[in-house]
Amino acid sequence: MEHRPRYRVPDELRETLLDFTIAYLLERPANLATFGLNFFQRLKEERDGGHGPRPVPTTPTVNGGEENDIEGNEVFVIDEIVTEWILQFTIVYVIESPSDILEFGLRYCQKKQRASDAVNSAAHLHLLK
């Protein structure tokens, strides 16, 4: 039997990614990297400034309107982009084991934003040719 390494997912990571996912589902941002930067910056400011958590909207919508399952409960669909983002974030976090998840989140999102900007710049230059 093959033994695969088992990694423990810290509670802080689990809680932060749950908060991230809920915020993503409520806001449905167009740019995930920018959303991530804002999300982690807001959490860091709340932690460093001693502010409590920001209020969560009470009437969440998805894609511009409410979606309900057959029992009338709200249904949120997590698309492949955010699923892949959360998976990559988790893998890098577990491998690096940073001491501060919010600093890590900011660095991670800054890298993703730079990569996104580079792709957009290259696409813009291609359109100009």
Side-chain angles (χ1 to χ4, degrees):
M1 178 178 211
E2 180 182 333
H3 291 282
R4 293 183 183 169
R6 295 191 56 102
Y7 297 97
R8 182 186 171 290
V9 178
D11 291 339
E12 182 180 39
L13 174 61
R14 215 179 346 250
E15 291 168 11
T16 302
L17 288 179
L18 177 60
D19 290 345
F20 180 90
T21 303
I22 291 169
Y24 170 83
L25 290 171
L26 294 173
E27 296 179 28
R28 286 296 187 180
N31 184 308
L32 191 54
T34 301
F35 171 78
L37 277 171
N38 292 334
F39 175 83
F40 284 104
Q41 185 63 45
R42 185 171 50 239
L43 287 181
K44 186 173 182 318
E45 287 171 1
E46 289 171 1
R47 180 191 68 191
D48 295 348
H51 302 286
R54 70 179 178 86
V56 176
T58 56
T59 55
T61 59
V62 178
N63 298 330
E66 285 191 29
E67 293 184 13
N68 295 307
D69 66 10
I70 57 175
E71 296 177 5
N73 297 319
E74 293 173 18
V75 176
F76 295 103
V77 179
I78 301 176
D79 56 43
E80 287 183 32
I81 293 170
V82 76
T83 302
E84 183 68 24
W85 190 95
I86 290 170
L87 178 62
Q88 290 176 3
F89 184 96
T90 302
I91 291 168
V92 175
Y93 181 89
V94 169
I95 290 170
E96 291 186 11
S97 298
S99 60
D100 186 335
I101 191 170
L102 302 182
E103 290 292 338
F104 170 81
L106 284 169
R107 283 192 319 272
Y108 183 85
C109 293
Q110 289 166 345
K111 289 178 187 176
K112 290 291 188 181
Q113 184 68 53
R114 283 193 300 271
S116 175
D117 290 347
V119 168
N120 291 337
S121 293
H124 181 72
L125 289 174
H126 180 70
L127 290 174
L128 294 177
K129 289 184 180 183

